[in-house]
Amino acid sequence: MMAGRGTVKSHSGFNANNDAEVLYKAMKGLGTDEDAIIQLLTARSNAQRQEIKAAYKTLHGKDLVDNLKSELGGTFESLIVALMTPPITYEVMCLRDAIKGAGTDEKILVEILASRSPNEVNQIKSLYKQEHNDDLEEDVTGDTGGHFKRMLVVLLQASRQQGIQEDLIQSDAQALFAAGEKKYGTDEGQFITILGNRSNAHLRRVFDEYRKLSGYEIEESIQKETSGTLQEVMLAVVKCARSVPGYFADSLYSAMKGTGTDDQTLIRIMVSRSEVDMLDIRAEFRKRFATSLHKTIQGDTAGDYRKALLLLCGGDDA
Protein backbone atom coordinates (compact mmCIF):
# COMPACT_ATOMS: atom_id res chain seq x y z
CA MET A 1 0.00 0.00 0.00
CA MET A 2 1.12 3.54 -0.64
CA ALA A 3 2.34 5.08 2.60
CA GLY A 4 0.54 8.15 3.78
CA ARG A 5 -2.75 7.68 1.92
CA GLY A 6 -4.69 7.47 5.15
CA THR A 7 -6.67 10.32 6.72
CA VAL A 8 -5.60 9.33 10.24
CA LYS A 9 -1.95 9.96 11.02
CA SER A 10 0.27 9.64 14.08
CA HIS A 11 -0.12 12.67 16.33
CA SER A 12 3.18 14.57 16.46
CA GLY A 13 3.17 15.90 20.02
CA PHE A 14 1.93 12.58 21.37
CA ASN A 15 1.91 11.94 25.11
CA ALA A 16 0.08 8.78 26.17
CA ASN A 17 -0.30 9.83 29.82
CA ASN A 18 -1.81 13.20 28.91
CA ASP A 19 -4.24 11.55 26.51
CA ALA A 20 -5.20 8.96 29.12
CA GLU A 21 -6.02 11.82 31.53
CA VAL A 22 -8.16 13.62 28.95
CA LEU A 23 -10.18 10.42 28.41
CA TYR A 24 -10.45 9.75 32.13
CA LYS A 25 -11.82 13.24 32.74
CA ALA A 26 -14.21 12.87 29.80
CA MET A 27 -15.81 9.87 31.50
CA LYS A 28 -15.54 10.84 35.16
CA GLY A 29 -18.58 11.91 37.16
CA LEU A 30 -22.00 12.50 35.69
CA GLY A 31 -22.39 12.58 31.95
CA THR A 32 -19.75 11.88 29.35
CA ASP A 33 -17.86 14.37 27.20
CA GLU A 34 -18.31 12.51 23.92
CA ASP A 35 -16.72 15.33 21.93
CA ALA A 36 -13.46 15.07 23.84
CA ILE A 37 -13.40 11.31 23.20
CA ILE A 38 -14.13 11.70 19.48
CA GLN A 39 -11.63 14.51 18.89
CA LEU A 40 -8.85 12.67 20.65
CA LEU A 41 -9.26 9.12 19.35
CA THR A 42 -9.77 10.05 15.69
CA ALA A 43 -6.60 12.15 15.81
CA ARG A 44 -4.31 9.32 17.00
CA SER A 45 -2.95 6.36 15.07
CA ASN A 46 -3.95 2.87 16.17
CA ALA A 47 -0.48 2.28 17.59
CA GLN A 48 -0.85 5.44 19.69
CA ARG A 49 -4.30 4.33 20.89
CA GLN A 50 -2.70 1.11 22.17
CA GLU A 51 -0.19 3.19 24.15
CA ILE A 52 -3.01 5.31 25.59
CA LYS A 53 -4.80 2.13 26.63
CA ALA A 54 -1.69 0.91 28.47
CA ALA A 55 -1.13 4.30 30.14
CA TYR A 56 -4.78 4.41 31.23
CA LYS A 57 -4.46 1.07 32.97
CA THR A 58 -1.20 2.10 34.65
CA LEU A 59 -2.61 5.41 35.87
CA HIS A 60 -6.12 4.32 36.84
CA GLY A 61 -6.06 0.55 37.21
CA LYS A 62 -8.97 0.30 34.78
CA ASP A 63 -9.44 -1.00 31.27
CA LEU A 64 -10.01 1.92 28.89
CA VAL A 65 -12.11 -0.10 26.45
CA ASP A 66 -14.36 -1.41 29.25
CA ASN A 67 -14.84 2.15 30.50
CA LEU A 68 -15.67 3.43 27.02
CA LYS A 69 -18.17 0.60 26.55
CA SER A 70 -19.95 1.42 29.79
CA GLU A 71 -20.21 5.13 28.87
CA LEU A 72 -21.16 4.88 25.19
CA GLY A 73 -23.83 2.98 23.29
CA GLY A 74 -25.09 1.79 19.92
CA THR A 75 -23.21 2.26 16.65
CA PHE A 76 -21.07 4.99 18.22
CA GLU A 77 -19.80 2.54 20.82
CA SER A 78 -19.11 -0.09 18.11
CA LEU A 79 -17.11 2.44 16.12
CA ILE A 80 -15.00 3.58 19.09
CA VAL A 81 -14.31 -0.01 20.21
CA ALA A 82 -13.23 -0.84 16.64
CA LEU A 83 -10.85 2.15 16.66
CA MET A 84 -9.34 0.87 19.91
CA THR A 85 -8.63 -2.61 18.50
CA PRO A 86 -5.25 -3.36 16.82
CA PRO A 87 -5.80 -3.80 13.03
CA ILE A 88 -5.02 -7.50 12.62
CA THR A 89 -6.89 -8.32 15.86
CA TYR A 90 -9.86 -6.44 14.44
CA GLU A 91 -9.81 -8.42 11.18
CA VAL A 92 -9.62 -11.66 13.17
CA MET A 93 -12.61 -10.57 15.29
CA CYS A 94 -14.63 -9.74 12.18
CA LEU A 95 -13.84 -13.10 10.57
CA ARG A 96 -14.54 -15.02 13.77
CA ASP A 97 -17.94 -13.32 14.14
CA ALA A 98 -18.68 -13.97 10.46
CA ILE A 99 -18.06 -17.70 10.91
CA LYS A 100 -19.17 -18.38 14.45
CA GLY A 101 -22.28 -16.20 14.58
CA ALA A 102 -25.70 -17.53 13.68
CA GLY A 103 -25.34 -18.40 10.01
CA THR A 104 -22.28 -17.34 8.03
CA ASP A 105 -21.71 -13.74 7.02
CA GLU A 106 -20.20 -14.43 3.60
CA LYS A 107 -19.90 -10.72 2.85
CA ILE A 108 -17.22 -10.28 5.53
CA LEU A 109 -15.27 -13.34 4.38
CA VAL A 110 -15.31 -12.02 0.83
CA GLU A 111 -14.38 -8.45 1.75
CA ILE A 112 -11.39 -9.33 3.91
CA LEU A 113 -9.97 -12.23 1.90
CA ALA A 114 -10.35 -10.54 -1.49
CA SER A 115 -8.85 -7.19 -0.50
CA ARG A 116 -5.90 -7.99 1.79
CA SER A 117 -2.33 -8.58 0.64
CA PRO A 118 -0.83 -12.09 0.97
CA ASN A 119 1.27 -10.80 3.85
CA GLU A 120 -1.82 -9.52 5.68
CA VAL A 121 -3.68 -12.79 5.08
CA ASN A 122 -0.78 -14.71 6.63
CA GLN A 123 -0.77 -12.43 9.69
CA ILE A 124 -4.53 -12.89 10.04
CA LYS A 125 -4.20 -16.68 9.85
CA SER A 126 -1.51 -16.89 12.52
CA LEU A 127 -3.28 -14.51 14.91
CA TYR A 128 -6.55 -16.40 14.38
CA LYS A 129 -4.77 -19.60 15.39
CA GLN A 130 -3.18 -17.91 18.40
CA GLU A 131 -6.41 -16.30 19.66
CA HIS A 132 -8.86 -19.13 19.01
CA ASN A 133 -6.67 -22.22 18.77
CA ASP A 134 -8.53 -23.00 15.55
CA ASP A 135 -7.38 -23.10 11.97
CA LEU A 136 -8.99 -20.30 9.93
CA GLU A 137 -9.02 -22.38 6.76
CA GLU A 138 -10.75 -25.29 8.52
CA ASP A 139 -13.33 -22.93 10.03
CA VAL A 140 -14.00 -21.33 6.64
CA THR A 141 -14.27 -24.67 4.81
CA GLY A 142 -16.51 -26.08 7.54
CA ASP A 143 -18.89 -23.17 7.00
CA THR A 144 -18.98 -22.80 3.21
CA GLY A 145 -19.37 -25.06 0.21
CA GLY A 146 -18.85 -25.64 -3.49
CA HIS A 147 -16.85 -23.35 -5.74
CA PHE A 148 -17.26 -20.49 -3.28
CA LYS A 149 -15.35 -22.54 -0.71
CA ARG A 150 -12.66 -23.40 -3.28
CA MET A 151 -12.15 -19.73 -4.12
CA LEU A 152 -11.81 -18.77 -0.44
CA VAL A 153 -9.32 -21.60 0.13
CA VAL A 154 -7.18 -20.34 -2.77
CA LEU A 155 -7.26 -16.80 -1.32
CA LEU A 156 -6.35 -18.17 2.13
CA GLN A 157 -3.20 -19.77 0.67
CA ALA A 158 -1.95 -16.20 0.23
CA SER A 159 0.36 -17.34 -2.55
CA ARG A 160 -0.39 -14.76 -5.24
CA GLN A 161 2.49 -14.42 -7.67
CA GLN A 162 4.39 -11.15 -7.69
CA GLY A 163 4.60 -8.89 -10.70
CA ILE A 164 3.49 -9.57 -14.28
CA GLN A 165 4.19 -12.84 -16.11
CA GLU A 166 4.33 -11.54 -19.68
CA ASP A 167 4.33 -15.07 -21.14
CA LEU A 168 1.08 -15.93 -19.33
CA ILE A 169 -1.08 -12.90 -20.15
CA GLN A 170 -2.33 -14.23 -23.47
CA SER A 171 -2.84 -17.82 -22.28
CA ASP A 172 -4.62 -16.70 -19.09
CA ALA A 173 -7.04 -14.57 -21.11
CA GLN A 174 -7.64 -17.47 -23.50
CA ALA A 175 -8.16 -19.91 -20.64
CA LEU A 176 -10.78 -17.60 -19.07
CA PHE A 177 -12.49 -17.16 -22.44
CA ALA A 178 -12.52 -20.91 -23.07
CA ALA A 179 -13.81 -21.55 -19.52
CA GLY A 180 -16.71 -19.12 -19.81
CA GLU A 181 -18.09 -17.31 -22.82
CA LYS A 182 -16.87 -19.88 -25.32
CA LYS A 183 -18.39 -23.01 -23.88
CA TYR A 184 -21.77 -24.20 -22.76
CA GLY A 185 -21.66 -24.18 -18.97
CA THR A 186 -18.71 -22.73 -17.08
CA ASP A 187 -15.39 -24.18 -15.96
CA GLU A 188 -15.28 -22.39 -12.60
CA GLY A 189 -11.99 -24.07 -11.70
CA GLN A 190 -10.11 -22.07 -14.34
CA PHE A 191 -11.54 -18.80 -13.06
CA ILE A 192 -10.66 -19.71 -9.47
CA THR A 193 -7.06 -20.66 -10.30
CA ILE A 194 -6.29 -17.58 -12.38
CA LEU A 195 -8.16 -14.99 -10.28
CA GLY A 196 -6.81 -16.44 -7.03
CA ASN A 197 -3.14 -16.82 -7.94
CA ARG A 198 -2.08 -13.91 -10.16
CA SER A 199 -0.98 -10.48 -9.00
CA ASN A 200 -3.31 -7.50 -9.40
CA ALA A 201 -1.02 -5.90 -11.99
CA HIS A 202 -0.99 -9.14 -13.99
CA LEU A 203 -4.77 -9.54 -13.79
CA ARG A 204 -5.34 -6.02 -15.12
CA ARG A 205 -3.37 -6.95 -18.24
CA VAL A 206 -5.29 -10.23 -18.55
CA PHE A 207 -8.63 -8.37 -18.30
CA ASP A 208 -7.57 -6.08 -21.18
CA GLU A 209 -6.69 -9.10 -23.34
CA TYR A 210 -9.91 -10.82 -22.32
CA ARG A 211 -11.95 -7.87 -23.51
CA LYS A 212 -10.17 -7.95 -26.90
CA LEU A 213 -10.78 -11.69 -27.23
CA SER A 214 -14.38 -11.88 -26.07
CA GLY A 215 -15.80 -8.41 -26.59
CA TYR A 216 -16.86 -8.41 -22.92
CA GLU A 217 -15.49 -6.97 -19.72
CA ILE A 218 -14.56 -9.82 -17.37
CA GLU A 219 -17.18 -8.53 -14.87
CA GLU A 220 -19.95 -8.98 -17.47
CA SER A 221 -18.90 -12.57 -18.10
CA ILE A 222 -18.74 -13.39 -14.40
CA GLN A 223 -22.23 -11.94 -13.95
CA LYS A 224 -23.57 -14.07 -16.78
CA GLU A 225 -21.74 -17.27 -15.93
CA THR A 226 -21.97 -17.44 -12.13
CA SER A 227 -24.37 -16.58 -9.34
CA GLY A 228 -24.65 -16.25 -5.57
CA THR A 229 -21.64 -16.16 -3.30
CA LEU A 230 -19.26 -17.42 -6.00
CA GLN A 231 -20.20 -14.45 -8.15
CA GLU A 232 -19.72 -12.11 -5.19
CA VAL A 233 -16.23 -13.33 -4.36
CA MET A 234 -15.10 -13.34 -8.01
CA LEU A 235 -16.39 -9.83 -8.62
CA ALA A 236 -14.68 -8.68 -5.40
CA VAL A 237 -11.36 -10.15 -6.56
CA VAL A 238 -11.75 -8.49 -9.98
CA LYS A 239 -12.64 -5.12 -8.44
CA CYS A 240 -9.66 -5.33 -6.06
CA ALA A 241 -7.38 -6.22 -8.97
CA ARG A 242 -8.57 -3.11 -10.78
CA SER A 243 -8.43 -0.87 -7.69
CA VAL A 244 -8.63 -1.73 -3.99
CA PRO A 245 -9.78 1.82 -3.10
CA GLY A 246 -12.37 1.52 -5.87
CA TYR A 247 -13.64 -1.71 -4.36
CA PHE A 248 -14.05 -0.06 -0.95
CA ALA A 249 -15.71 3.01 -2.50
CA ASP A 250 -18.30 0.70 -4.09
CA SER A 251 -18.81 -1.16 -0.81
CA LEU A 252 -19.32 2.07 1.14
CA TYR A 253 -21.80 3.32 -1.44
CA SER A 254 -23.77 0.06 -1.24
CA ALA A 255 -23.72 0.22 2.57
CA MET A 256 -25.45 3.61 2.51
CA LYS A 257 -27.63 3.68 -0.59
CA GLY A 258 -31.37 3.08 -0.33
CA THR A 259 -33.19 2.92 2.97
CA GLY A 260 -31.34 1.84 6.08
CA THR A 261 -27.59 1.73 6.55
CA ASP A 262 -25.34 -1.30 6.78
CA ASP A 263 -23.51 0.10 9.82
CA GLN A 264 -21.36 -2.95 10.30
CA THR A 265 -19.81 -2.54 6.85
CA LEU A 266 -19.57 1.22 7.22
CA ILE A 267 -17.69 0.92 10.52
CA ARG A 268 -15.45 -1.92 9.30
CA ILE A 269 -14.26 -0.06 6.20
CA MET A 270 -13.95 3.42 7.74
CA VAL A 271 -11.90 2.05 10.64
CA SER A 272 -9.72 -0.44 8.78
CA ARG A 273 -8.87 1.89 5.88
CA SER A 274 -8.51 5.16 7.83
CA GLU A 275 -4.72 4.75 8.10
CA VAL A 276 -4.26 2.92 4.79
CA ASP A 277 -5.95 4.45 1.74
CA MET A 278 -8.96 6.54 2.80
CA LEU A 279 -7.80 9.47 0.62
CA ASP A 280 -7.83 7.19 -2.43
CA ILE A 281 -11.20 5.72 -1.45
CA ARG A 282 -12.62 9.24 -1.24
CA ALA A 283 -11.23 10.12 -4.68
CA GLU A 284 -12.70 6.95 -6.21
CA PHE A 285 -16.04 7.58 -4.49
CA ARG A 286 -16.20 11.09 -5.95
CA LYS A 287 -15.34 9.80 -9.42
CA ARG A 288 -17.87 6.97 -9.37
CA PHE A 289 -20.89 8.49 -7.67
CA ALA A 290 -20.78 12.21 -8.49
CA THR A 291 -21.05 13.04 -4.80
CA SER A 292 -18.56 12.94 -1.94
CA LEU A 293 -18.14 10.25 0.69
CA HIS A 294 -18.36 13.03 3.29
CA LYS A 295 -21.78 14.18 2.05
CA THR A 296 -23.06 10.62 1.83
CA ILE A 297 -22.05 9.85 5.43
CA GLN A 298 -23.54 13.15 6.57
CA GLY A 299 -26.89 12.35 4.99
CA ASP A 300 -26.97 8.79 6.23
CA THR A 301 -25.85 8.90 9.86
CA ALA A 302 -26.48 11.02 12.95
CA GLY A 303 -25.12 12.24 16.27
CA ASP A 304 -21.72 11.36 17.70
CA TYR A 305 -21.50 8.39 15.36
CA ARG A 306 -21.72 10.77 12.40
CA LYS A 307 -19.16 13.17 13.93
CA ALA A 308 -16.62 10.39 14.41
CA LEU A 309 -17.16 8.94 10.92
CA LEU A 310 -16.74 12.37 9.31
CA LEU A 311 -13.45 12.89 11.17
CA LEU A 312 -12.22 9.50 9.90
CA CYS A 313 -13.34 10.50 6.41
CA GLY A 314 -11.17 13.57 6.88
CA GLY A 315 -12.66 16.09 4.46
CA ASP A 316 -15.23 16.80 1.80
CA ASP A 317 -14.43 16.42 -1.90
CA ALA A 318 -17.53 18.36 -2.94
Side-chain angles (χ1 to χ4, degrees), residues 230-258:
L230 176 65
Q231 184 183 92
E232 279 168 42
V233 71
M234 284 189 175
L235 288 175
V237 169
V238 169
K239 281 182 183 183
C240 289
R242 293 203 190 271
S243 160
V244 171
Y247 168 69
F248 284 118
D250 284 352
S251 301
L252 285 168
Y253 184 76
S254 303
M256 291 184 280
K257 76 167 197 279

Side-chain angles (χ1 to χ4, degrees), residues 194-206:
I194 293 171
L195 292 178
N197 288 297
R198 306 289 192 260
S199 74
N200 286 345
H202 180 88
L203 287 172
R204 287 194 292 274
R205 295 278 300 277
V206 172

